[in-house]
Amino acid sequence: MIEVADLRREFTVASQAGRFRRTYRKVVAVDAVSFEIAAGESVGYVGPNGAGKSTTIKMLTGILVPSSGRVRVCGLDPARQRRELAARIGVVFGQRSQLWWDLPLAESFDLLREIYRVPRTEHAARLAECVELLDLAPFLATPVRQLSLGQRMRGEVTAALLHSPELLVLDEPTIGLDLESKERLREFLAELNVRRGTTLLLTTHDLDDIARLCRRLMVIDHGTVLADGPLDELRDEVSPERVLVVDLERPVADLDGLPGVVSARAEAGGLRHHLAFRRELTTAAKLIAEVAGRADVHDIAVVEPAIDDVVRRLYGRRRG
């Protein structure tokens, strides 16, 4: 679906060097980035502000022309074949709108049907599906300028999907949304990826979006890719420890000496124990059995490293 090889983008930045003179310097926003994304994948593309995420997205969608390197999306050159590419992808920018500000939401959808030349029956079926899953019916007749941010973002996603794109690119799609709107949008996008096989490429600062939607994570910083792989593997690589939280029926002073446990901590007077273990040394099931052999267990939970910690450690690995 996406092929990127040695992609680079430079910008010329002017600065004042005197009262009547300017100097110019080159700034590299994306530097030798290479990756491939297969059809049907859901990929998170994350990094700090200024890392090169949005610049990459703009080159993938044909908004910017690369300084050098090769990029193909749906088998097309985005910069040279923008019209053909637009018919095959959908793009949602969290801080930009493709809807008509003063028109009712439904009329924006009608205009987009004409722009993309979507047959009426196909458009109606697709719209009905989005209206049901995203609960758009109560505000279809409302002008876009009167919609809440959550309502508008649901409209933006619908607008990007009405021509049945093979690839959906989302740049900060949940920015500013309340918790309910975020969860509704995440559920819809997950369903879209699983049921229809739509490829998702997601850039966001909300790492809960990544954890909920993406099986693969790419981390970019200073224009280069720091890490790329399945989220679970990256988590194991930088945060190999898991924590088994055990609530006991009766207090136990400690649970030292358990096989595979690298550290243990008790709280609530010995009723709750936090047991950090490594997967290569033991499994959660074996550890639970060991604990149950020593004490009566009331409840258990396995805590995975937070995705925020995983990304933070990947950044730290570069600085190190």
Side-chain angles (χ1 to χ4, degrees), residues 36-141:
E36 293 183 357
I37 296 177
E41 279 197 273
S42 54
V43 181
Y45 193 54
V46 304
N49 289 329
K53 304 185 302 296
S54 293
T55 301
T56 305
I57 294 300
K58 289 174 181 176
M59 288 189 284
L60 292 178
T61 54
I63 296 171
L64 288 176
V65 179
S67 300
S68 63
R70 179 179 182 274
V71 56
R72 291 288 183 275
V73 179
C74 301
L76 304 172
D77 182 328
R80 296 178 180 274
Q81 298 171 287
R82 287 186 65 181
R83 185 185 296 271
E84 295 93 326
L85 183 63
R88 298 177 62 180
I89 68 171
V91 184
V92 177
F93 289 108
Q95 301 187 62
R96 294 177 179 84
S97 180
Q98 59 188 317
L99 303 171
W100 280 262
W101 197 242
D102 293 312
L103 293 182
L105 187 59
E107 292 187 25
S108 284
F109 295 153
D110 287 341
L111 283 170
L112 288 166
R113 182 186 66 79
E114 296 289 349
I115 289 171
Y116 285 102
R117 297 183 173 88
V118 181
R120 286 185 180 277
T121 54
E122 182 182 328
H123 175 270
R126 188 73 163 175
L127 180 57
E129 181 183 27
C130 290
V131 167
E132 179 183 357
L133 293 175
L134 290 173
D135 193 23
L136 302 178
F139 49 88
L140 278 174

Side-chain angles (χ1 to χ4, degrees), residues 156-198:
E156 296 284 357
V157 172
T158 300
L161 293 173
L162 289 176
H163 58 293
S164 301
E166 303 164 45
L167 167 68
L168 183 60
V169 180
L170 303 137
D171 189 359
E172 301 287 358
T174 62
I175 189 169
L177 300 190
D178 59 61
L179 292 176
E180 183 179 354
S181 296
K182 281 184 180 183
E183 188 54 31
R184 186 189 297 274
L185 187 54
R186 288 168 183 159
E187 288 179 1
F188 176 76
L189 293 172
E191 182 79 1
L192 184 73
N193 176 246
V194 172
R195 273 184 49 194
R196 290 192 172 272
T198 303

Side-chain angles (χ1 to χ4, degrees), residues 240-252:
E241 293 181 4
R242 304 292 183 270
V243 177
L244 179 69
V245 181
V246 184
D247 290 337
L248 302 178
E249 294 285 356
R250 288 175 293 279
V252 172

